[in-house]
Amino acid sequence: ITSRIAYLIRERDVDSGNILAVTFTNKAANEMRERVERMLDFPLTRLWISTFHSSCVRILRQHIAALGYKRSFVIYDETDRSSLIKACMADLRIDAERYQPRAVGAKISALKNNLTDAEQYEKTSARFGFEEAVARVYSLYQEKLREADGLDFDDLLMLTVRLFERNQDVLRYYQGLFHH
């Protein structure tokens, strides 16, 4: 990948700002950037080499207002997320012994990764047991995140997809920006 990026810039005269390279870890992204810069022997300030989440944050910081959120949103890490889920369960008087907060959080994460928001899940989930508990917690969890101008890591991905689905101008901008 690094060789291809260097080739595109050096041999094909591609603007580095038209290249998007995504990876799973910050370490890998940093290593890729360093290798490409060593190959080309100059810094690349416009090249997007980042994790999926970092790319989404960058896009959302510019355009999230189109979804009704503030650009100054805060990102909840795993500890913040877990604490909020436990607080929501306590507020809803859902027994944490019966329904483990970790399992509820994992289900909410899986739903978000399948692009299912709280409202959609509430409509399709069972009206009893674990599914009901998850639906109630998910709804309150999202409400509390929204009140705090917060997003969790799964929201970063889901809301970027939503942004592209609901705002064709933003989608076209990034389609036109990234040729490679």
Side-chain angles (χ1 to χ4, degrees), residues 22-56:
V22 291
T23 185
F24 290 101
T25 67
N26 287 318
K27 181 180 179 189
N30 291 334
E31 288 175 4
M32 285 177 69
R33 176 178 294 283
E34 289 169 7
R35 277 190 237 139
V36 173
E37 287 178 346
R38 273 196 310 272
M39 289 175 168
L40 296 173
D41 201 30
F42 59 86
L44 297 166
T45 57
R46 294 174 23 87
L47 178 64
W48 281 41
I49 297 181
S50 62
T51 64
F52 289 95
H53 290 93
S54 294
S55 293
C56 289

PDB file of all heavy atoms in Angstrom, residues 22-56:
ATOM      1  N   VAL A  22      -6.939   3.795   4.871  1.00  0.00           N
ATOM      2  CA  VAL A  22      -7.442   3.527   6.211  1.00  0.00           C
ATOM      3  C   VAL A  22      -6.907   2.201   6.720  1.00  0.00           C
ATOM      4  O   VAL A  22      -6.674   1.270   5.956  1.00  0.00           O
ATOM      5  CB  VAL A  22      -8.990   3.540   6.274  1.00  0.00           C
ATOM      6  CG1 VAL A  22      -9.540   4.930   6.080  1.00  0.00           C
ATOM      7  CG2 VAL A  22      -9.585   2.590   5.265  1.00  0.00           C
ATOM      8  N   THR A  23      -6.726   2.165   8.024  1.00  0.00           N
ATOM      9  CA  THR A  23      -6.223   0.953   8.670  1.00  0.00           C
ATOM     10  C   THR A  23      -6.916   0.823  10.019  1.00  0.00           C
ATOM     11  O   THR A  23      -7.746   1.654  10.383  1.00  0.00           O
ATOM     12  CB  THR A  23      -4.685   1.013   8.797  1.00  0.00           C
ATOM     13  OG1 THR A  23      -4.213  -0.213   9.322  1.00  0.00           O
ATOM     14  CG2 THR A  23      -4.243   2.167   9.658  1.00  0.00           C
ATOM     15  N   PHE A  24      -6.566  -0.203  10.761  1.00  0.00           N
ATOM     16  CA  PHE A  24      -7.275  -0.471  12.012  1.00  0.00           C
ATOM     17  C   PHE A  24      -6.637   0.157  13.238  1.00  0.00           C
ATOM     18  O   PHE A  24      -7.308   0.355  14.231  1.00  0.00           O
ATOM     19  CB  PHE A  24      -7.420  -1.983  12.220  1.00  0.00           C
ATOM     20  CG  PHE A  24      -8.371  -2.608  11.246  1.00  0.00           C
ATOM     21  CD1 PHE A  24      -7.898  -3.292  10.139  1.00  0.00           C
ATOM     22  CD2 PHE A  24      -9.741  -2.500  11.416  1.00  0.00           C
ATOM     23  CE1 PHE A  24      -8.768  -3.862   9.237  1.00  0.00           C
ATOM     24  CE2 PHE A  24     -10.619  -3.055  10.514  1.00  0.00           C
ATOM     25  CZ  PHE A  24     -10.132  -3.745   9.418  1.00  0.00           C
ATOM     26  N   THR A  25      -5.347   0.482  13.189  1.00  0.00           N
ATOM     27  CA  THR A  25      -4.693   1.017  14.387  1.00  0.00           C
ATOM     28  C   THR A  25      -3.967   2.320  14.069  1.00  0.00           C
ATOM     29  O   THR A  25      -3.501   2.532  12.943  1.00  0.00           O
ATOM     30  CB  THR A  25      -3.673   0.022  14.977  1.00  0.00           C
ATOM     31  OG1 THR A  25      -2.575  -0.128  14.068  1.00  0.00           O
ATOM     32  CG2 THR A  25      -4.310  -1.332  15.275  1.00  0.00           C
ATOM     33  N   ASN A  26      -3.851   3.166  15.082  1.00  0.00           N
ATOM     34  CA  ASN A  26      -3.100   4.406  14.925  1.00  0.00           C
ATOM     35  C   ASN A  26      -1.635   4.116  14.637  1.00  0.00           C
ATOM     36  O   ASN A  26      -1.000   4.820  13.850  1.00  0.00           O
ATOM     37  CB  ASN A  26      -3.224   5.264  16.187  1.00  0.00           C
ATOM     38  CG  ASN A  26      -4.594   5.885  16.310  1.00  0.00           C
ATOM     39  OD1 ASN A  26      -5.166   6.361  15.338  1.00  0.00           O
ATOM     40  ND2 ASN A  26      -5.137   5.869  17.512  1.00  0.00           N
ATOM     41  N   LYS A  27      -1.111   3.079  15.267  1.00  0.00           N
ATOM     42  CA  LYS A  27       0.291   2.715  15.054  1.00  0.00           C
ATOM     43  C   LYS A  27       0.544   2.381  13.580  1.00  0.00           C
ATOM     44  O   LYS A  27       1.509   2.866  12.987  1.00  0.00           O
ATOM     45  CB  LYS A  27       0.670   1.526  15.940  1.00  0.00           C
ATOM     46  CG  LYS A  27       2.104   1.115  15.805  1.00  0.00           C
ATOM     47  CD  LYS A  27       2.429  -0.066  16.702  1.00  0.00           C
ATOM     48  CE  LYS A  27       3.896  -0.459  16.493  1.00  0.00           C
ATOM     49  NZ  LYS A  27       4.233  -1.706  17.155  1.00  0.00           N
ATOM     50  N   ALA A  28      -0.331   1.582  13.006  1.00  0.00           N
ATOM     51  CA  ALA A  28      -0.174   1.219  11.590  1.00  0.00           C
ATOM     52  C   ALA A  28      -0.298   2.445  10.696  1.00  0.00           C
ATOM     53  O   ALA A  28       0.464   2.603   9.734  1.00  0.00           O
ATOM     54  CB  ALA A  28      -1.197   0.165  11.203  1.00  0.00           C
ATOM     55  N   ALA A  29      -1.232   3.315  11.010  1.00  0.00           N
ATOM     56  CA  ALA A  29      -1.415   4.535  10.202  1.00  0.00           C
ATOM     57  C   ALA A  29      -0.166   5.403  10.265  1.00  0.00           C
ATOM     58  O   ALA A  29       0.305   5.911   9.232  1.00  0.00           O
ATOM     59  CB  ALA A  29      -2.635   5.309  10.696  1.00  0.00           C
ATOM     60  N   ASN A  30       0.390   5.583  11.453  1.00  0.00           N
ATOM     61  CA  ASN A  30       1.602   6.389  11.605  1.00  0.00           C
ATOM     62  C   ASN A  30       2.780   5.767  10.866  1.00  0.00           C
ATOM     63  O   ASN A  30       3.558   6.472  10.212  1.00  0.00           O
ATOM     64  CB  ASN A  30       1.937   6.583  13.088  1.00  0.00           C
ATOM     65  CG  ASN A  30       0.932   7.462  13.790  1.00  0.00           C
ATOM     66  OD1 ASN A  30       0.280   8.304  13.174  1.00  0.00           O
ATOM     67  ND2 ASN A  30       0.785   7.273  15.088  1.00  0.00           N
ATOM     68  N   GLU A  31       2.919   4.456  10.964  1.00  0.00           N
ATOM     69  CA  GLU A  31       4.009   3.770  10.259  1.00  0.00           C
ATOM     70  C   GLU A  31       3.864   3.910   8.746  1.00  0.00           C
ATOM     71  O   GLU A  31       4.850   4.122   8.040  1.00  0.00           O
ATOM     72  CB  GLU A  31       4.066   2.302  10.666  1.00  0.00           C
ATOM     73  CG  GLU A  31       4.582   2.085  12.076  1.00  0.00           C
ATOM     74  CD  GLU A  31       4.533   0.640  12.529  1.00  0.00           C
ATOM     75  OE1 GLU A  31       4.163  -0.255  11.719  1.00  0.00           O
ATOM     76  OE2 GLU A  31       4.863   0.391  13.703  1.00  0.00           O
ATOM     77  N   MET A  32       2.643   3.779   8.254  1.00  0.00           N
ATOM     78  CA  MET A  32       2.419   3.932   6.814  1.00  0.00           C
ATOM     79  C   MET A  32       2.804   5.333   6.361  1.00  0.00           C
ATOM     80  O   MET A  32       3.477   5.498   5.342  1.00  0.00           O
ATOM     81  CB  MET A  32       0.947   3.666   6.466  1.00  0.00           C
ATOM     82  CG  MET A  32       0.569   2.214   6.491  1.00  0.00           C
ATOM     83  SD  MET A  32      -1.188   1.959   6.153  1.00  0.00           S
ATOM     84  CE  MET A  32      -1.283   2.427   4.436  1.00  0.00           C
ATOM     85  N   ARG A  33       2.356   6.343   7.107  1.00  0.00           N
ATOM     86  CA  ARG A  33       2.682   7.731   6.744  1.00  0.00           C
ATOM     87  C   ARG A  33       4.195   7.936   6.728  1.00  0.00           C
ATOM     88  O   ARG A  33       4.742   8.515   5.791  1.00  0.00           O
ATOM     89  CB  ARG A  33       2.038   8.712   7.721  1.00  0.00           C
ATOM     90  CG  ARG A  33       2.435  10.173   7.430  1.00  0.00           C
ATOM     91  CD  ARG A  33       1.754  11.146   8.354  1.00  0.00           C
ATOM     92  NE  ARG A  33       0.326  11.176   8.155  1.00  0.00           N
ATOM     93  CZ  ARG A  33      -0.281  11.791   7.135  1.00  0.00           C
ATOM     94  NH1 ARG A  33       0.436  12.450   6.241  1.00  0.00           N
ATOM     95  NH2 ARG A  33      -1.583  11.777   7.003  1.00  0.00           N
ATOM     96  N   GLU A  34       4.887   7.457   7.764  1.00  0.00           N
ATOM     97  CA  GLU A  34       6.343   7.621   7.846  1.00  0.00           C
ATOM     98  C   GLU A  34       7.036   6.942   6.668  1.00  0.00           C
ATOM     99  O   GLU A  34       7.955   7.501   6.073  1.00  0.00           O
ATOM    100  CB  GLU A  34       6.865   7.060   9.169  1.00  0.00           C
ATOM    101  CG  GLU A  34       6.486   7.910  10.366  1.00  0.00           C
ATOM    102  CD  GLU A  34       6.779   7.226  11.703  1.00  0.00           C
ATOM    103  OE1 GLU A  34       7.409   6.144  11.713  1.00  0.00           O
ATOM    104  OE2 GLU A  34       6.360   7.782  12.746  1.00  0.00           O
ATOM    105  N   ARG A  35       6.580   5.738   6.312  1.00  0.00           N
ATOM    106  CA  ARG A  35       7.201   5.030   5.181  1.00  0.00           C
ATOM    107  C   ARG A  35       6.998   5.777   3.875  1.00  0.00           C
ATOM    108  O   ARG A  35       7.927   5.902   3.077  1.00  0.00           O
ATOM    109  CB  ARG A  35       6.624   3.616   5.060  1.00  0.00           C
ATOM    110  CG  ARG A  35       7.296   2.654   6.003  1.00  0.00           C
ATOM    111  CD  ARG A  35       6.879   1.228   5.696  1.00  0.00           C
ATOM    112  NE  ARG A  35       6.305   0.703   6.907  1.00  0.00           N
ATOM    113  CZ  ARG A  35       5.242  -0.051   7.005  1.00  0.00           C
ATOM    114  NH1 ARG A  35       4.580  -0.409   5.927  1.00  0.00           N
ATOM    115  NH2 ARG A  35       4.796  -0.470   8.152  1.00  0.00           N
ATOM    116  N   VAL A  36       5.795   6.257   3.641  1.00  0.00           N
ATOM    117  CA  VAL A  36       5.524   6.990   2.395  1.00  0.00           C
ATOM    118  C   VAL A  36       6.370   8.262   2.344  1.00  0.00           C
ATOM    119  O   VAL A  36       6.977   8.576   1.309  1.00  0.00           O
ATOM    120  CB  VAL A  36       4.027   7.320   2.243  1.00  0.00           C
ATOM    121  CG1 VAL A  36       3.790   8.226   1.042  1.00  0.00           C
ATOM    122  CG2 VAL A  36       3.206   6.048   2.115  1.00  0.00           C
ATOM    123  N   GLU A  37       6.440   8.977   3.454  1.00  0.00           N
ATOM    124  CA  GLU A  37       7.234  10.209   3.486  1.00  0.00           C
ATOM    125  C   GLU A  37       8.718   9.913   3.275  1.00  0.00           C
ATOM    126  O   GLU A  37       9.408  10.686   2.605  1.00  0.00           O
ATOM    127  CB  GLU A  37       6.993  10.962   4.795  1.00  0.00           C
ATOM    128  CG  GLU A  37       5.625  11.617   4.828  1.00  0.00           C
ATOM    129  CD  GLU A  37       5.307  12.338   6.130  1.00  0.00           C
ATOM    130  OE1 GLU A  37       6.028  12.141   7.141  1.00  0.00           O
ATOM    131  OE2 GLU A  37       4.325  13.103   6.139  1.00  0.00           O
ATOM    132  N   ARG A  38       9.210   8.806   3.804  1.00  0.00           N
ATOM    133  CA  ARG A  38      10.618   8.426   3.564  1.00  0.00           C
ATOM    134  C   ARG A  38      10.837   8.089   2.095  1.00  0.00           C
ATOM    135  O   ARG A  38      11.841   8.459   1.501  1.00  0.00           O
ATOM    136  CB  ARG A  38      11.017   7.229   4.434  1.00  0.00           C
ATOM    137  CG  ARG A  38      11.519   7.606   5.811  1.00  0.00           C
ATOM    138  CD  ARG A  38      12.262   6.470   6.499  1.00  0.00           C
ATOM    139  NE  ARG A  38      11.564   5.205   6.494  1.00  0.00           N
ATOM    140  CZ  ARG A  38      10.684   4.801   7.429  1.00  0.00           C
ATOM    141  NH1 ARG A  38      10.397   5.578   8.442  1.00  0.00           N
ATOM    142  NH2 ARG A  38      10.109   3.629   7.332  1.00  0.00           N
ATOM    143  N   MET A  39       9.901   7.390   1.495  1.00  0.00           N
ATOM    144  CA  MET A  39      10.015   7.026   0.078  1.00  0.00           C
ATOM    145  C   MET A  39      10.045   8.265  -0.807  1.00  0.00           C
ATOM    146  O   MET A  39      10.768   8.301  -1.802  1.00  0.00           O
ATOM    147  CB  MET A  39       8.838   6.136  -0.352  1.00  0.00           C
ATOM    148  CG  MET A  39       8.853   4.756   0.205  1.00  0.00           C
ATOM    149  SD  MET A  39       7.312   3.928  -0.290  1.00  0.00           S
ATOM    150  CE  MET A  39       7.690   2.250   0.136  1.00  0.00           C
ATOM    151  N   LEU A  40       9.244   9.269  -0.454  1.00  0.00           N
ATOM    152  CA  LEU A  40       9.144  10.469  -1.274  1.00  0.00           C
ATOM    153  C   LEU A  40      10.113  11.561  -0.850  1.00  0.00           C
ATOM    154  O   LEU A  40      10.351  12.500  -1.593  1.00  0.00           O
ATOM    155  CB  LEU A  40       7.709  11.012  -1.230  1.00  0.00           C
ATOM    156  CG  LEU A  40       6.648  10.092  -1.819  1.00  0.00           C
ATOM    157  CD1 LEU A  40       5.257  10.653  -1.568  1.00  0.00           C
ATOM    158  CD2 LEU A  40       6.880   9.863  -3.302  1.00  0.00           C
ATOM    159  N   ASP A  41      10.614  11.456   0.360  1.00  0.00           N
ATOM    160  CA  ASP A  41      11.566  12.408   0.923  1.00  0.00           C
ATOM    161  C   ASP A  41      10.974  13.809   1.099  1.00  0.00           C
ATOM    162  O   ASP A  41      11.652  14.809   0.899  1.00  0.00           O
ATOM    163  CB  ASP A  41      12.853  12.455   0.079  1.00  0.00           C
ATOM    164  CG  ASP A  41      14.024  13.012   0.876  1.00  0.00           C
ATOM    165  OD1 ASP A  41      14.041  12.834   2.113  1.00  0.00           O
ATOM    166  OD2 ASP A  41      14.904  13.646   0.259  1.00  0.00           O
ATOM    167  N   PHE A  42       9.679  13.865   1.427  1.00  0.00           N
ATOM    168  CA  PHE A  42       9.051  15.139   1.813  1.00  0.00           C
ATOM    169  C   PHE A  42       7.779  14.829   2.597  1.00  0.00           C
ATOM    170  O   PHE A  42       7.178  13.775   2.435  1.00  0.00           O
ATOM    171  CB  PHE A  42       8.773  16.051   0.609  1.00  0.00           C
ATOM    172  CG  PHE A  42       7.876  15.471  -0.451  1.00  0.00           C
ATOM    173  CD1 PHE A  42       6.492  15.565  -0.357  1.00  0.00           C
ATOM    174  CD2 PHE A  42       8.434  14.865  -1.573  1.00  0.00           C
ATOM    175  CE1 PHE A  42       5.681  15.049  -1.348  1.00  0.00           C
ATOM    176  CE2 PHE A  42       7.624  14.350  -2.570  1.00  0.00           C
ATOM    177  CZ  PHE A  42       6.245  14.441  -2.463  1.00  0.00           C
ATOM    178  N   PRO A  43       7.368  15.770   3.473  1.00  0.00           N
ATOM    179  CA  PRO A  43       6.168  15.540   4.293  1.00  0.00           C
ATOM    180  C   PRO A  43       4.885  15.650   3.472  1.00  0.00           C
ATOM    181  O   PRO A  43       4.812  16.419   2.516  1.00  0.00           O
ATOM    182  CB  PRO A  43       6.235  16.638   5.352  1.00  0.00           C
ATOM    183  CG  PRO A  43       7.091  17.696   4.763  1.00  0.00           C
ATOM    184  CD  PRO A  43       8.033  17.026   3.794  1.00  0.00           C
ATOM    185  N   LEU A  44       3.898  14.869   3.872  1.00  0.00           N
ATOM    186  CA  LEU A  44       2.617  14.848   3.177  1.00  0.00           C
ATOM    187  C   LEU A  44       1.527  15.348   4.129  1.00  0.00           C
ATOM    188  O   LEU A  44       0.973  14.589   4.906  1.00  0.00           O
ATOM    189  CB  LEU A  44       2.290  13.427   2.710  1.00  0.00           C
ATOM    190  CG  LEU A  44       3.280  12.857   1.707  1.00  0.00           C
ATOM    191  CD1 LEU A  44       3.097  11.367   1.558  1.00  0.00           C
ATOM    192  CD2 LEU A  44       3.122  13.556   0.370  1.00  0.00           C
ATOM    193  N   THR A  45       1.229  16.615   4.041  1.00  0.00           N
ATOM    194  CA  THR A  45       0.281  17.207   4.978  1.00  0.00           C
ATOM    195  C   THR A  45      -1.178  16.974   4.585  1.00  0.00           C
ATOM    196  O   THR A  45      -2.053  17.009   5.433  1.00  0.00           O
ATOM    197  CB  THR A  45       0.520  18.721   5.114  1.00  0.00           C
ATOM    198  OG1 THR A  45       0.426  19.314   3.812  1.00  0.00           O
ATOM    199  CG2 THR A  45       1.896  19.000   5.700  1.00  0.00           C
ATOM    200  N   ARG A  46      -1.432  16.715   3.318  1.00  0.00           N
ATOM    201  CA  ARG A  46      -2.820  16.568   2.864  1.00  0.00           C
ATOM    202  C   ARG A  46      -3.264  15.114   2.736  1.00  0.00           C
ATOM    203  O   ARG A  46      -4.443  14.840   2.566  1.00  0.00           O
ATOM    204  CB  ARG A  46      -3.007  17.289   1.534  1.00  0.00           C
ATOM    205  CG  ARG A  46      -2.844  18.795   1.668  1.00  0.00           C
ATOM    206  CD  ARG A  46      -2.870  19.577   0.358  1.00  0.00           C
ATOM    207  NE  ARG A  46      -3.521  19.004  -0.787  1.00  0.00           N
ATOM    208  CZ  ARG A  46      -4.828  19.122  -1.074  1.00  0.00           C
ATOM    209  NH1 ARG A  46      -5.601  19.811  -0.279  1.00  0.00           N
ATOM    210  NH2 ARG A  46      -5.322  18.578  -2.146  1.00  0.00           N
ATOM    211  N   LEU A  47      -2.349  14.187   2.823  1.00  0.00           N
ATOM    212  CA  LEU A  47      -2.653  12.762   2.675  1.00  0.00           C
ATOM    213  C   LEU A  47      -3.438  12.255   3.873  1.00  0.00           C
ATOM    214  O   LEU A  47      -3.062  12.501   5.013  1.00  0.00           O
ATOM    215  CB  LEU A  47      -1.348  11.974   2.539  1.00  0.00           C
ATOM    216  CG  LEU A  47      -1.439  10.464   2.429  1.00  0.00           C
ATOM    217  CD1 LEU A  47      -2.164  10.048   1.156  1.00  0.00           C
ATOM    218  CD2 LEU A  47      -0.044   9.864   2.436  1.00  0.00           C
ATOM    219  N   TRP A  48      -4.534  11.566   3.619  1.00  0.00           N
ATOM    220  CA  TRP A  48      -5.337  10.973   4.688  1.00  0.00           C
ATOM    221  C   TRP A  48      -4.894   9.531   4.887  1.00  0.00           C
ATOM    222  O   TRP A  48      -5.276   8.649   4.118  1.00  0.00           O
ATOM    223  CB  TRP A  48      -6.809  10.979   4.323  1.00  0.00           C
ATOM    224  CG  TRP A  48      -7.545  12.264   4.482  1.00  0.00           C
ATOM    225  CD1 TRP A  48      -7.096  13.509   4.159  1.00  0.00           C
ATOM    226  CD2 TRP A  48      -8.866  12.426   4.981  1.00  0.00           C
ATOM    227  NE1 TRP A  48      -8.073  14.433   4.431  1.00  0.00           N
ATOM    228  CE2 TRP A  48      -9.173  13.798   4.930  1.00  0.00           C
ATOM    229  CE3 TRP A  48      -9.833  11.546   5.443  1.00  0.00           C
ATOM    230  CZ2 TRP A  48     -10.395  14.310   5.331  1.00  0.00           C
ATOM    231  CZ3 TRP A  48     -11.058  12.056   5.845  1.00  0.00           C
ATOM    232  CH2 TRP A  48     -11.317  13.426   5.799  1.00  0.00           C
ATOM    233  N   ILE A  49      -4.062   9.295   5.877  1.00  0.00           N
ATOM    234  CA  ILE A  49      -3.745   7.939   6.325  1.00  0.00           C
ATOM    235  C   ILE A  49      -4.150   7.907   7.787  1.00  0.00           C
ATOM    236  O   ILE A  49      -3.564   8.606   8.606  1.00  0.00           O
ATOM    237  CB  ILE A  49      -2.250   7.591   6.189  1.00  0.00           C
ATOM    238  CG1 ILE A  49      -1.800   7.610   4.732  1.00  0.00           C
ATOM    239  CG2 ILE A  49      -1.984   6.214   6.798  1.00  0.00           C
ATOM    240  CD1 ILE A  49      -0.333   7.248   4.534  1.00  0.00           C
ATOM    241  N   SER A  50      -5.166   7.133   8.077  1.00  0.00           N
ATOM    242  CA  SER A  50      -5.674   7.110   9.446  1.00  0.00           C
ATOM    243  C   SER A  50      -6.486   5.845   9.685  1.00  0.00           C
ATOM    244  O   SER A  50      -6.709   5.053   8.770  1.00  0.00           O
ATOM    245  CB  SER A  50      -6.540   8.342   9.701  1.00  0.00           C
ATOM    246  OG  SER A  50      -7.663   8.357   8.851  1.00  0.00           O
ATOM    247  N   THR A  51      -6.960   5.708  10.910  1.00  0.00           N
ATOM    248  CA  THR A  51      -7.868   4.607  11.205  1.00  0.00           C
ATOM    249  C   THR A  51      -9.252   4.950  10.649  1.00  0.00           C
ATOM    250  O   THR A  51      -9.534   6.106  10.320  1.00  0.00           O
ATOM    251  CB  THR A  51      -7.991   4.382  12.721  1.00  0.00           C
ATOM    252  OG1 THR A  51      -8.582   5.539  13.309  1.00  0.00           O
ATOM    253  CG2 THR A  51      -6.638   4.088  13.359  1.00  0.00           C
ATOM    254  N   PHE A  52     -10.098   3.945  10.583  1.00  0.00           N
ATOM    255  CA  PHE A  52     -11.474   4.176  10.158  1.00  0.00           C
ATOM    256  C   PHE A  52     -12.125   5.216  11.069  1.00  0.00           C
ATOM    257  O   PHE A  52     -12.767   6.149  10.596  1.00  0.00           O
ATOM    258  CB  PHE A  52     -12.285   2.871  10.211  1.00  0.00           C
ATOM    259  CG  PHE A  52     -11.902   1.889   9.153  1.00  0.00           C
ATOM    260  CD1 PHE A  52     -10.983   0.887   9.409  1.00  0.00           C
ATOM    261  CD2 PHE A  52     -12.463   1.951   7.888  1.00  0.00           C
ATOM    262  CE1 PHE A  52     -10.630  -0.022   8.427  1.00  0.00           C
ATOM    263  CE2 PHE A  52     -12.122   1.046   6.900  1.00  0.00           C
ATOM    264  CZ  PHE A  52     -11.199   0.055   7.166  1.00  0.00           C
ATOM    265  N   HIS A  53     -11.927   5.037  12.378  1.00  0.00           N
ATOM    266  CA  HIS A  53     -12.549   5.946  13.342  1.00  0.00           C
ATOM    267  C   HIS A  53     -12.016   7.376  13.198  1.00  0.00           C
ATOM    268  O   HIS A  53     -12.789   8.331  13.247  1.00  0.00           O
ATOM    269  CB  HIS A  53     -12.353   5.428  14.765  1.00  0.00           C
ATOM    270  CG  HIS A  53     -13.161   4.200  15.052  1.00  0.00           C
ATOM    271  ND1 HIS A  53     -12.643   2.934  14.878  1.00  0.00           N
ATOM    272  CD2 HIS A  53     -14.435   4.040  15.470  1.00  0.00           C
ATOM    273  CE1 HIS A  53     -13.582   2.049  15.178  1.00  0.00           C
ATOM    274  NE2 HIS A  53     -14.673   2.688  15.550  1.00  0.00           N
ATOM    275  N   SER A  54     -10.719   7.521  13.013  1.00  0.00           N
ATOM    276  CA  SER A  54     -10.139   8.863  12.865  1.00  0.00           C
ATOM    277  C   SER A  54     -10.643   9.548  11.598  1.00  0.00           C
ATOM    278  O   SER A  54     -10.908  10.758  11.605  1.00  0.00           O
ATOM    279  CB  SER A  54      -8.610   8.791  12.842  1.00  0.00           C
ATOM    280  OG  SER A  54      -8.127   8.354  14.082  1.00  0.00           O
ATOM    281  N   SER A  55     -10.775   8.791  10.535  1.00  0.00           N
ATOM    282  CA  SER A  55     -11.321   9.363   9.297  1.00  0.00           C
ATOM    283  C   SER A  55     -12.748   9.832   9.514  1.00  0.00           C
ATOM    284  O   SER A  55     -13.135  10.928   9.078  1.00  0.00           O
ATOM    285  CB  SER A  55     -11.296   8.329   8.162  1.00  0.00           C
ATOM    286  OG  SER A  55      -9.978   8.017   7.802  1.00  0.00           O
ATOM    287  N   CYS A  56     -13.524   9.031  10.218  1.00  0.00           N
ATOM    288  CA  CYS A  56     -14.914   9.401  10.489  1.00  0.00           C
ATOM    289  C   CYS A  56     -14.993  10.641  11.384  1.00  0.00           C
ATOM    290  O   CYS A  56     -15.826  11.520  11.148  1.00  0.00           O
ATOM    291  CB  CYS A  56     -15.662   8.228  11.114  1.00  0.00           C
ATOM    292  SG  CYS A  56     -15.959   6.874   9.947  1.00  0.00           S
TER     293      CYS A  56
END
